[in-house]
Each structure stands twice: as C-alpha cells, then as structure tokens.
Amino acid sequence: MGEVTNVTEYQAIAKEKLPKMVYDYYASGAEDQWTLAENQNAFSRILFRPRILIDVSKIDMTTTILGFKISMPIMIAPTAMQKMAHPEGEYATARAASAANTIMTLSSWATSSVEEVASTGPGIRFFQLYVYKNRKVVEQLVRRAERAGFKAIALTVDTPRLGRRESDIKNRFTLPSNLTLKNFEGLDLGKMDEANDSGLASYVAGQIDRTLSWKDVKWLQTITSMPILVKGVLTAEDTRIAIQNGAAGIIVSNHGARQLDYVPSTIMALEEVVKAAQGRVPVFLDGGVRRGTDVFKALALGASGIFIGRPVVFSLAAEGEAGVRKVLQMLRDE
C-alpha cells in the first residue's frame, strides 16, 4: 500500500491487523456515533485566514505544560488496554512519547502498570484516574503513580457509567485472557468477567463510583500534591466550578465520543470553555485531531495543547513503537 503519509491511514491498517472485537472496541463511539463523526467533521468547517509575507524561517514549537517544557503542544491521551493493539502496548507508547519529548497520559485501565511504564526510562507522564467505589484502591493507585514519577492526574469526570457502545455489546467485549488491567492486578480488580453485554460495561457498573461529585475533586487534592486536570468538561458552567474547586487545568473532551452521544464536538465546545477559564488555568482538547491543521485550529481557538488517542492505538497496532513515533512526527511536520 506504499508509505503511510498521514495519521488517518493507520486506521485501515489497524482494522486489517486486529481481531474484530479489539478493533471495534478502539474504533467505536456511543449509540448512533453522531458525535464520533462530528468530532472530526467540525474541524473541517473551520477555515483559515492566512496572513502572508511574515518571516517563518525560524519556527519554535516548544511549549510549557504545567511547568514542564515539551517539544510541541501535541501530547498522548490516555487509551485503555494497549497490549490488545500490540504486545509491547504502553511500553512502546511511553518510549515513543519520550523520543518525541512530549507527554504521555497513562490510562488507569492500562495493560502495563505505572511502575512498568516508569521503568521505560525518563519522560514526563500524566496519570488518568477513574475513581473506584473503594477509595483505598484510589488512594493507593494515586500514591503509586506519584512514587513512579508521574507529574499530574487527569481525572476523568464523564464516566459515572460506561457509554453504550453497541459493537462492544454485539461482540461481548472482554479483555483477552492473557492480559490484565495491571494497575489493579494485586487487588483482584485486574480481570474482566465475560458478560452477556459488554464485559467492560459490567466492570464499570460494579467498580466505578457513580456518586462522584465536586467534593471528590477536593478530596483528591488532600491525598496528592500532583496537579489535577479535569478531563471531560464541555461547558462554561463546569469550567468555572472546576476552577473554583482547585483544578489546575481543563481537558475539553467527550471521551472520544464514547460516552454521551449528541454532545458537541470538542473543537466547537472549546471556545466557551476558554472564555470561562479567563486564562486562570490552561485548557486542553482531545477528540478528532488527525491533522496538523486540527492542532493549529485548537491552538488558535485558545487551547494550550491537544491530546491524541485513537491515532496512537491504530499506529501502535500497525507498526508498534515506530508507528506511534511516526504519528507524532507527521503531526509535528504538518
């Protein structure tokens, strides 16, 4: 098929390589998948007004995120269970992020532990957190992430229950038996039972705390000194409340359109969030970023940086660490 020349091409390669259950898990969105398409389509409705005759011989793409200097405002979003995509899973992603000198966010539901990912070598890493009903589990996990050198918590706030992803229900999705949710292995929470719908949906229903509210954002600050990014904000109202409750930053996200369908694309929600933040905290975006122009549009509309999710798992499936490196390089070049 010739050389891969853009990020989107990795999806078709991943589809060919991966078992249907795994590909569908990574690719699908909630219900009608309207927001899934809209996350990308919305970018194409935003046009440039290019200014000319500006000296562009020296371009500096470095930026500072929560005080950490990175090579570009393009970072890696948390995506679960990466060893389903490639045997090296999160190890490969961590090495690719380090090589590109950017930030990787490790999912709570990774198939490699915080300690294992830290063992790949130096790098700036954030930890995505799901709040379990058992708060002792949460405390332990946050402490382990901090000890392993992680620099921030990305608290996912849009998943009191799992979105209805129909292909996962049809496929009776479950974590392949050779893999575990490594961060929970010793806690008997590392395995997913077969269910008559989605095994992950059943796991979430059993373990994740639906009572989660703003008081818990406050509570998290009492157990860690890591800054907390609130991931899954789409409105001005919640932006203001997040900042009042001590959030160090906001990630405008609709969970890759996998949670509530018929929410706006993140690029369309960005403006009201940026306005409400009033520069008090940085605002980031994930969802639908596939081109350098998408990154530029997000920055132009006030984002401090973006995170990519699916492009990472698809390129990982296709070419392992080299694929993830290439995705980061292509977006950078564009």
Side-chain angles (χ1 to χ4, degrees):
M1 70 150 269
E3 193 188 351
V4 172
T5 54
N6 66 61
V7 168
T8 304
E9 285 175 350
Y10 275 119
Q11 182 159 355
I13 302 171
K15 186 172 188 177
E16 256 175 48
K17 279 201 168 187
L18 292 171
K20 179 175 163 52
M21 180 190 79
V22 172
Y23 173 78
D24 285 353
Y25 169 73
Y26 290 144
S28 63
E31 295 183 349
D32 294 326
Q33 304 190 116
W34 182 86
T35 298
L36 183 65
E38 178 67 5
N39 267 355
Q40 279 175 254
N41 293 340
F43 277 108
S44 68
R45 297 195 297 270
I46 297 168
L47 303 180
F48 297 127
R49 295 179 61 248
R51 300 293 304 275
I52 52 160
L53 292 171
I54 306 286
D55 180 347
V56 291
S57 58
K58 290 185 187 68
I59 298 288
D60 178 11
M61 294 203 10
T62 61
T63 190
T64 303
I65 306 287
L66 301 181
F68 299 100
K69 192 170 187 188
I70 57 173
S71 66
M72 57 184 175
I74 302 168
M75 298 165 284
I76 293 181
T79 49
M81 305 178 252
Q82 292 178 11
K83 280 186 183 176
M84 294 194 308
H86 187 277
E88 291 174 19
E90 294 84 2
Y91 288 79
T93 302
R95 290 192 295 259
S98 289
N101 189 18
T102 191
I103 292 165
M104 171 192 182
T105 316
L106 183 70
S107 169
S108 277
W109 296 336
T111 38
S112 314
S113 67
V114 288
E115 293 84 5
E116 287 172 332
V117 169
S119 79
T120 62
I124 301 155
R125 302 186 185 104
F126 294 171
F127 182 70
Q128 175 272 333
L129 181 68
Y130 281 119
V131 178
Y132 280 60
K133 290 174 183 172
N134 182 342
R135 292 309 161 89
K136 287 278 171 281
V137 166
V138 178
E139 269 186 71
Q140 199 180 338
L141 192 52
V142 168
R143 293 227 170 87
R144 279 171 56 200
E146 198 157 5
R147 261 204 309 274
F150 285 71
K151 301 301 184 199
I153 295 285
L155 175 67
T156 297
V157 295
D158 57 13
T159 314
R161 57 187 303 163
L162 204 70
R164 194 172 169 82
R165 307 164 192 175
E166 293 178 7
S167 56
D168 289 352
I169 297 168
K170 284 186 171 67
N171 295 335
R172 306 231 188 294
F173 173 80
T174 190
L175 183 64
S177 57
N178 60 315
L179 300 176
T180 51
L181 301 180
K182 272 285 177 167
N183 287 317
F184 301 98
E185 199 173 31
L187 301 160
D188 285 336
L189 294 169
K191 286 290 182 197
M192 211 173 284
D193 300 321
E194 301 268 345
N196 35 13
D197 53 2
S198 154
L200 184 63
S202 301
Y203 180 87
V204 168
Q207 302 303 334
I208 303 304
D209 194 345
R210 292 185 190 177
T211 72
L212 193 69
S213 67
W214 292 108
K215 71 178 181 331
D216 301 295
V217 178
K218 287 275 203 220
W219 169 74
L220 265 180
Q221 292 164 74
T222 69
I223 66 165
T224 182
S225 58
M226 287 184 284
I228 294 161
L229 303 174
V230 179
K231 176 178 182 284
V233 174
L234 293 169
T235 65
E237 294 89 329
D238 284 337
T239 302
R240 287 190 282 266
I241 300 170
I243 294 168
Q244 282 160 18
N245 281 280
I250 304 285
I251 304 175
V252 176
S253 174
N254 52 35
H255 208 117
R258 296 160 70 78
Q259 283 300 106
L260 181 61
D261 201 10
Y262 298 101
V263 292
S265 66
T266 50
I267 194 65
M268 289 301 163
L270 179 63
E271 188 177 2
E272 71 169 85
V273 171
V274 166
K275 275 203 180 99
Q278 297 181 310
R280 291 173 291 180
V281 299
V283 175
F284 307 100
L285 171 143
D286 69 32
V289 175
R290 299 295 180 271
R291 283 281 186 188
T293 48
D294 298 339
V295 178
F296 187 87
K297 288 168 185 180
L299 298 175
L301 292 170
S304 293
I306 64 91
F307 292 87
I308 49 169
R310 286 188 186 87
V312 171
V313 289
F314 292 148
S315 59
L316 186 62
E319 293 172 7
E321 180 187 337
V324 181
R325 284 185 186 227
K326 180 147 191 193
V327 156
L328 291 167
Q329 188 61 48
M330 286 189 294
L331 287 173
R332 185 190 174 89
D333 292 343
E334 288 176 5

